[in-house]
């Protein structure tokens, strides 16, 4: 499992602060993209798609395979990366669509627990299929980009981080355009409001739900490629923790709310990075930075306790 | 008419959904032992008032004083505990439980067996369980569906489901029984039987709050009636006066024309 | 009395239930001796099946009765196991007797359950799933890393040399002879586990037919109506959650004592999902179904190990799919397929079948 070991804190200085902010931003951009996949599906059919983290993992693995395949071909590295990203996005879109069609659609009217358990089942299946294909060991990405390190005020960041953050921003802008300016986006928003009324208005609900899965998976694939190129390693179990945290980010921002998922992702990335940077100092070195993973869950529990509709979610009265 | 002591006092209760005012400072008082009617056109806020009273909604303004105690908002089980029981406009029974089990659930509040009682089945628990069954049988008898005691609630006829819901509500030993459109969807005979049942419940000492669409039923049954329109109380009096009130007539006629 | 409360047939239906029970008792007594013919390893497998029956029935109260999805059940199991391990091993040099530690472990697990459940149980059910999942991870992270600066859990190495359950001079770890019959350590644990499993079966049965059990069912059917009937739904759900946690804690303690060794590896998320799968695949809320699920899923890996491995070697001359991942694949597929085609489980109660028939309308 990818642990963010490189965020080890050395000392409590402003350098650390700046450094952790940069790292947190990178991490947050990835969480935000994955969180969008959770929030879109939840917003429309109220399902926690546990298998979404695995879709992201498959995205990383596919990109890895494509990159390794072309690595010796003499193609320019950026082109190889682009092809890897593209193939991975397409594969994940098909996977997302298939997941909805085969596993979830037949359970549309089943009791709530049923699709949730199916989602867990699908997540196990995908993990083990990935293990059979790509093996049970960590796989290392061949370095494609000449990593350049920039220094600002004692903190350093790489061109890969810049690329990740800007690509994430671009993709999110695209999503906002899609949801607010296109017919399918409008249909999605209408369905999220009230599926029954939307269907009366001629919206094809099945198509909208399939689209939510497809778009969410595409975003997941992009995130998967980012994770792969940032950490340069991948593992068949990496999707689980990533997915769990991204879901936390979605809840943090207010589940079902797109802008909330983006903000929640960034916020969670920052909380984690800062938490990892300062946990040693906060606890008198009792707890070290390998406790980074607990922040997400502590945040989750606190949010659910005090503001279950999320930081940006509307408080909806429960309908009796 | 003799002045009976107060049971419920609603004081300027307000509730809105987003920008829509569903209830606008509604005040009313219900006296012990009476049948009180709450009527109004569709969307007038009757059910919203009900949901605030029974703790299903949290009212933004005002408060309820029930039997001398201020009600806590947003806690349906506490409303039931102080003695307010309700039925639902769209019947909400436990469909996969039998009729008698539904009523037995209603006894939950007035019984005490906990985990240790349940596991040890000690004499006290067994006695309590026996009492629950007997009381549930009595109540099914009382509402007249004891022959269906072991049928699943979802298999009962519509009228019997209404009765079962009333029996379940009575099982909580309410001081106030709040019925949300109990006659909806009933034919003349069924409505008449319902009227007899409600009168009987009142005679047996339970105050009744009746929300109804069927104006005839309300006028025949209730001692006093309040009329809601657009979330405001426009009238509260004995049926004979309410029927002649110009605002009420306008609300109903206006409502039906529009 | 209570002629109205339909008695749900338990284990053996029929005219003369005592005959069935007698038969069952004979089988239960025979199992450890028959299994021992194939070696003590088989007795241990039987022991684990029963430990999983215990765990699954504990979780059944949460998932089956109260309808709450708990994905971090193993965390409570871990709390019980580590409580036992820390208080009865050379690690801290503390050696408390089991009758102090088992209740302590159960109590601790219960407290964690309440702390976790209280804020989340008033929310929608699926939030509980994710919070319990997260809690499971937190516990695992602490078990793995709490070896420095103070060595509490001994990290990934785990804790060894844990005391067996001992009553006076009678230790469950050694072979001893009663009435001329020799009982090995695992065989003695077997009978202890059977006793515990019977206890949890009785608890499950009695809860189901009680005031509390009716309240759980009412909540599953219609939470709003249940509240209107005066049921404090949050507390009643919390009760189920805390009870499940306590059973997990007890199971953990017994596990520690029986194994003599605990490490974080035994408490992975997969373990939680396995136990959940036992409940769901067997038949949520139906005691015989859950038992079936536990036996099937503990037997499955063994069957794979002894069946699929030689089969693959025979067919292909080498291992194509390693049994562990095959087991997981079958798990995952089974969850998906059962939810699709038998959503009430392999052996559901008539009650549950009705509920599902209703919701499919």
């Amino acid at each position: 499992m990818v642990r963010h070991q490189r965020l080890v804190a050395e000392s409590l200085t402003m350098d650390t602060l700046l450094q952790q902010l940069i790292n947190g931003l990178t991490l947050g951009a990835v969480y935000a993209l994955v969180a969008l996949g959770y929030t879109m599906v939840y917003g429309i059919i109220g399902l926690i798609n546990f298998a979404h983290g695995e879709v992201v993992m498959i995205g990383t693995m596919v990109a890895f395979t494509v990159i390794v395949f072309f690595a010796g071909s003499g193609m320019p590295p950026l082109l190889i990366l682009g092809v890897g990203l593209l193939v991975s996005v397409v594969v994940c879109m098909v996977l997302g669509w298939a997941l909805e069609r085969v596993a979830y659609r037949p359970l549309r009217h089943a009791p709530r627990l049923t699709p949730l358990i199916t989602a867990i089942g699908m997540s196990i299946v995908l993990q083990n299929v990935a293990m059979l294909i790509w093996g049970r060991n960590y796989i290392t990405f061949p370095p494609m980009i000449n990593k350049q390190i920039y220094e600002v005020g004692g903190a350093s960041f790489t061109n890969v981080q810049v690329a990740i953050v800007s690509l994430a921003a671009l993709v999110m802008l695209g999503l906002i355009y899609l949801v607010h300016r296109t017919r399918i986006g409008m249909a999605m928003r209408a369905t999220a409001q009230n599926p029954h009324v939307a269907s009366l208005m001629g919206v094809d609900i099945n198509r909208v739900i399939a689209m939510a899965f497809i778009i969410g998976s595409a975003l997941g694939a992009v995130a998967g490629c980012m994770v792969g190129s940032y950490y340069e390693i991948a593992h068949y179990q990496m999707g689980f923790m990533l997915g769990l945290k991204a879901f936390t980010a979605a809840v943090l921002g207010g589940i079902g709310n797109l802008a909330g998922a983006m903000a929640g992702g960034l916020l969670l990335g920052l909380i984690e990075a800062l938490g990892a940077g300062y946990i040693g100092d906060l606890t008198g070195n009792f707890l070290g930075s390998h406790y980074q993973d607990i922040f997400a869950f502590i945040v989750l529990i606190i949010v659910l306790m005090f503001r279950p509709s999320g930081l940006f979610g509307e408080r909806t009265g429960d309908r009796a | 008419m003799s002045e009976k002591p107060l049971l419920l006092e609603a004081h300027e209760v307000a509730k809105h959904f987003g920008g829509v005012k569903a209830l606008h400072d509604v005040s009313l008082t219900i006296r012990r032992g009476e049948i009180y009617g709450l009527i109004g056109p569709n969307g007038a806020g009757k059910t919203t008032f009900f949901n605030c009273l029974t703790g299903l909604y949290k009212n933004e303004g005002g408060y309820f004083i029930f039997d001398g105690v201020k009600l806590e908002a947003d806690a349906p089980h506490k409303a039931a505990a102080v003695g307010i029981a309700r039925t639902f406009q769209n019947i909400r029974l436990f469909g996969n439980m039998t009729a008698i089990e539904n009523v037995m659930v209603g006894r939950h509040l007035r019984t005490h067996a906990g985990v240790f009682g349940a596991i040890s089945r000690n004499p006290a628990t067994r006695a309590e369980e026996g009492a629950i069954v007997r009381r549930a049988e009595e109540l099914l008898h009382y509402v007249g569906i004891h022959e269906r005691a072991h049928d699943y609630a979802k298999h009962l006829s519509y009228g019997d489901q209404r009765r079962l819901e009333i029996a379940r509500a009575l099982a909580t030993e309410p001081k106030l029984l709040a019925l949300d459109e109990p006659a909806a969807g009933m034919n003349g005979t069924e409505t008449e039987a319902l009227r007899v049942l409600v009168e009987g419940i009142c005679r047996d000492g339970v105050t009744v709050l009746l929300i109804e669409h069927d104006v005839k039923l309300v006028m025949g049954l209730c001692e006093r009636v309040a009329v809601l329109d657009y979330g405001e109380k426009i009238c509260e009096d004995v049926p004979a006066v309410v029927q002649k009130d110009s605002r009420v007539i306008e609300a109903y006629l206006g409502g039906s024309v529009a | 009395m209570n002629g109205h409360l339909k008695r749900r047939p338990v284990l053996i239906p029929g005219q003369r239930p005592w005959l069935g029970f007698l038969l069952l008792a004979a089988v239960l007594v025979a199992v450890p001796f028959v299994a021992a013919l194939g070696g003590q390893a088989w007795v241990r497998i039987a022991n684990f099946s029963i430990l999983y029956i215990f765990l699954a029935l504990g979780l059944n109260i949460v998932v089956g009765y109260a309808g709450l999805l708990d994905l971090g059940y193993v965390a409570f199991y871990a709390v019980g196991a580590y409580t036992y391990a820390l208080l009865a091993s050379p690690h801290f040099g503390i050696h408390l007797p089991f009758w102090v530690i088992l209740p302590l472990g159960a109590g601790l697990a219960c407290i964690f359950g309440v702390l976790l459940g209280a804020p989340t149980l008033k929310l929608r059910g699926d939030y509980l799933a994710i919070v319990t999942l997260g809690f499971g991870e937190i516990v695992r992270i602490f078990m793995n890393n709490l070896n420095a600066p103070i060595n509490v859990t001994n990290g990934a190495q785990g804790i060894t040399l844990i005391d067996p359950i001992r009553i006076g001079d009678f230790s469950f770890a050694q072979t001893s002879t009663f009435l001329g019959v020799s009982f090995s350590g695992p065989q003695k644990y077997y009978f202890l586990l059977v006793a515990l499993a019977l206890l949890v079966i009785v608890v499950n049965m009695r809860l189901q037919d009680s005031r509390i059990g009716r309240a759980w069912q009412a909540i599953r059917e219609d939470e709003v109506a249940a509240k209107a009937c005066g049921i404090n739904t949050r507390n009643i759900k919390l009760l189920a959650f805390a009870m499940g946690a306590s059973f997990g804690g007890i199971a953990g303690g017994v596990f520690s004592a029986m194994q003599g060794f605990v490490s974080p590896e035994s408490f992975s998320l997969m373990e939680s999902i396995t136990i959940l799968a036992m409940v769901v695949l067997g038949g949520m809320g139906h005691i015989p179904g859950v038992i079936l699920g536990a036996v099937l899923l503990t037997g499955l890996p063994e069957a794979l190990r002894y069946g699929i491995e030689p089969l693959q070697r025979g067919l292909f001359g080498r291992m194509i799919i390693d049994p562990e991942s095959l087991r997981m694949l079958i798990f995952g597929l089974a969850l998906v397929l059962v939810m699709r085609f038998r959503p009430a489980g392999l052996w559901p109660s008539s009650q549950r079948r009705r509920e599902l028939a209703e919701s499919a309308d």
Side-chain angles (χ1 to χ4, degrees), chain B residues 189-211:
Chain B
T189 331
E190 285 171 327
T191 308
E192 176 54 24
L194 178 77
R195 198 183 63 77
V196 172
L197 176 63
V198 172
E199 270 178 349
I201 290 170
C202 181
R203 219 173 16 249
D204 291 333
V206 179
T207 308
V208 178
L209 167 60
L210 184 66
I211 287 191

Side-chain angles (χ1 to χ4, degrees), chain A residues 1 4 39 44 46 50 98 100 106 109 123 131 168 181 187-188 197 199 203 208 217 223 234 239 253 277 293 319:
Chain A
M1 197 169 304
H4 317 292
T39 230
I44 291 174
F50 272 105
E100 193 274 327
H109 302 290
S123 151
M131 201 200 84
R181 291 277 180 274
M188 288 172 82
V197 173
S199 74
V203 172
V208 166
S217 302
D293 285 343
R319 304 170 191 109

Side-chain angles (χ1 to χ4, degrees), chain B residues 99-156:
Chain B
I100 192 163
E101 282 173 335
N102 268 272
V103 184
M104 286 165 77
V105 171
R107 292 300 296 155
H108 181 92
L109 191 55
R110 307 297 171 202
T111 46
H112 310 284
V115 169
F116 292 104
I119 294 169
S120 66
R121 294 246 164 104
N122 55 11
T125 308
R126 286 204 304 269
E128 186 183 90
E129 195 72 2
I132 291 173
V133 172
R134 276 194 304 281
R135 182 71 188 131
E137 283 173 334
E138 281 168 23
L139 283 164
L140 287 177
H141 240 283
Y142 185 77
V143 300
I145 55 169
H146 54 283
E147 277 158 14
R148 312 295 311 270
H150 300 289
D151 291 351
Y152 290 107
K154 68 180 180 191
H155 294 151
L156 298 184

Side-chain angles (χ1 to χ4, degrees), chain C residues 77-209:
Chain C
Y77 182 50
V79 167
Y82 269 82
T83 306
Y84 193 101
L86 294 176
L87 297 180
S89 73
H91 183 63
F92 287 143
I94 304 173
H95 297 277
L96 293 179
F98 80 95
W99 48 266
V100 173
I101 325 174
L102 281 186
L104 196 68
L108 262 178
C110 178
I111 290 171
F112 275 112
V114 171
L115 288 179
L116 202 61
T120 31
L121 281 173
K122 60 180 180 201
L123 305 171
R124 285 182 48 174
D126 29 16
Y127 279 133
L128 183 76
I130 209 91
V131 168
T132 48
L133 193 69
F135 176 67
E137 280 307 299
I138 292 180
V139 167
R140 214 175 48 79
I141 291 169
F142 271 101
M143 285 187 299
N144 259 318
N145 295 310
L146 217 54
N147 53 348
I150 301 167
N151 187 358
V152 181
T153 63
N154 206 24
Q157 283 84 43
I159 295 169
T160 50
L161 299 172
I162 300 167
D163 303 345
I165 291 181
R166 208 181 277 127
I167 305 168
D169 283 339
F170 178 81
S171 162
F172 274 77
Q174 292 140 13
T175 304
S176 47
T177 311
F178 296 104
L179 309 168
V181 184
S182 156
F183 289 83
S184 69
Q187 283 171 330
K188 284 194 274 186
Y189 274 112
Y190 172 87
F191 288 104
L192 177 72
L193 285 163
V194 167
L196 282 174
L198 289 176
L199 178 82
V200 73
I201 289 171
V202 169
V203 166
N204 266 263
M205 275 165 56
R206 294 199 157 177
L207 277 175
Q208 193 168 26
D209 260 340

Side-chain angles (χ1 to χ4, degrees), chain C residues 32 75 97 109 120 142 246 263 276 286 308:
Chain C
T120 31
F142 271 101
S246 312
S263 76
L276 178 71
H286 192 224
I308 300 291

